[in-house]
């Protein structure tokens, strides 16, 4: 097994072990892992991961998600949640048997998307949501806060440049 945070074994190479139903690094030389914050998934099933995207089109973050799912297929049970539409990569994942759910977001703030996402999280018993980009993270957090979706959230922002001019909306 490899570090879930990095997904692809070649990135960090930190071997993982199963200890008290939590994934933890082999060595204390590594900084504390976010794995220790995860609720243990029952050992009889794979970790259920939901990837939240805008559209599964052919683009950088979407290709990465598809590769993560393909490479970790034996270790996780993946579901892709698309806010807006299916996309070409979404169709490829569907054809390969990976569940892809299109939430049908409407213009503006669409609270029904958060409600639908929370219902899907409960129904599919998702352990971890991995939101890619700010809007998918916003709807993931909204689903968790307003509708009590029982999962952990990981956020990854793609395509940001350094030094970056951050808009006032993104400042805390």
């Amino acid at each position: 097994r490899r570090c879930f945070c990095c997904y692809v074994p070649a990135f960090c190479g930190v071997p993982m072990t199963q200890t008290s139903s939590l994934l933890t690094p082999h060595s204390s030389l590594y900084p504390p892992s976010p794995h220790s914050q995860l609720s243990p998934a029952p050992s009889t099933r794979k970790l259920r991961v939901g990837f939240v995207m805008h559209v599964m089109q052919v683009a950088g973050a979407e290709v990465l998600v598809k590769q993560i799912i393909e490479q970790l297929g034996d270790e996780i049970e993946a579901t892709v949640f698309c806010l807006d539409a299916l996309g070409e990569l979404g169709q490829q994942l569907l054809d390969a048997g990976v569940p892809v759910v299109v939430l049908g977001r409407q213009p503006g703030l669409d609270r029904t998307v958060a409600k639908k996402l929370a219902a899907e999280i409960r129904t599919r018993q998702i352990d971890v949501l991995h939101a890619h980009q700010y809007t998918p993270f916003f709807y993931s957090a909204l689903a968790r806060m307003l509708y009590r979706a029982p999962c952990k959230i990981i956020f990854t922002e793609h395509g940001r440049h350094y030094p970056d001019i951050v808009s006032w909306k993104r400042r805390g």
Side-chain angles (χ1 to χ4, degrees):
R1 297 183 75 105
R2 296 290 183 191
C3 177
F4 179 73
C5 293
C6 297
Y7 299 111
V8 183
F11 287 172
C12 82
V14 177
M16 305 300 284
T17 59
Q18 189 75 23
T19 305
S20 303
S21 300
L22 291 176
L23 295 173
T24 56
H26 273 275
S27 170
S28 61
L29 298 175
Y30 298 102
S33 172
H35 300 297
S36 61
Q37 302 300 315
L38 293 177
S39 299
S43 59
T44 57
R45 68 172 173 87
K46 296 177 185 178
L47 185 69
R48 293 180 180 160
V49 181
F51 296 90
V52 187
M53 311 294 293
H54 286 280
V55 178
M56 282 299 289
Q57 60 194 354
V58 180
E62 294 78 5
V63 170
L64 177 65
V65 166
K66 184 174 184 277
Q67 290 174 342
I68 289 167
I69 292 169
E70 291 169 348
Q71 290 193 18
L72 291 180
D74 294 339
E75 300 189 36
I76 66 170
E77 191 174 312
T79 301
V80 178
F81 300 103
C82 297
L83 298 180
D84 302 318
L86 182 62
E88 183 179 334
L89 295 180
Q91 186 60 54
Q92 289 175 14
L93 287 170
L94 270 177
D95 293 343
V98 176
V100 180
V101 178
V102 178
L103 299 168
R105 179 173 61 136
Q106 299 300 308
L109 174 60
D110 186 354
R111 289 180 189 226
T112 62
V113 167
K115 190 173 186 175
K116 290 178 199 174
L117 181 57
E120 289 286 344
I121 291 165
R122 273 192 225 88
T123 301
R124 297 171 184 277
Q125 298 178 336
I126 300 294
D127 299 306
V128 177
L129 270 187
H130 189 170
H132 293 262
Q133 310 295 32
Y134 281 104
T135 303
F137 172 67
F138 171 79
Y139 281 102
S140 298
L142 196 61
R144 185 164 179 227
M145 289 184 335
L146 291 183
Y147 302 105
R148 307 272 190 234
C151 64
K152 303 293 182 182
I153 299 175
I154 299 172
F155 169 63
T156 302
E157 174 65 13
H158 299 269
R160 305 294 294 176
H161 300 282
Y162 181 83
D164 189 21
I165 299 172
V166 179
S167 81
W168 63 270
K169 293 179 184 178
R170 292 187 176 159
R171 292 186 195 145

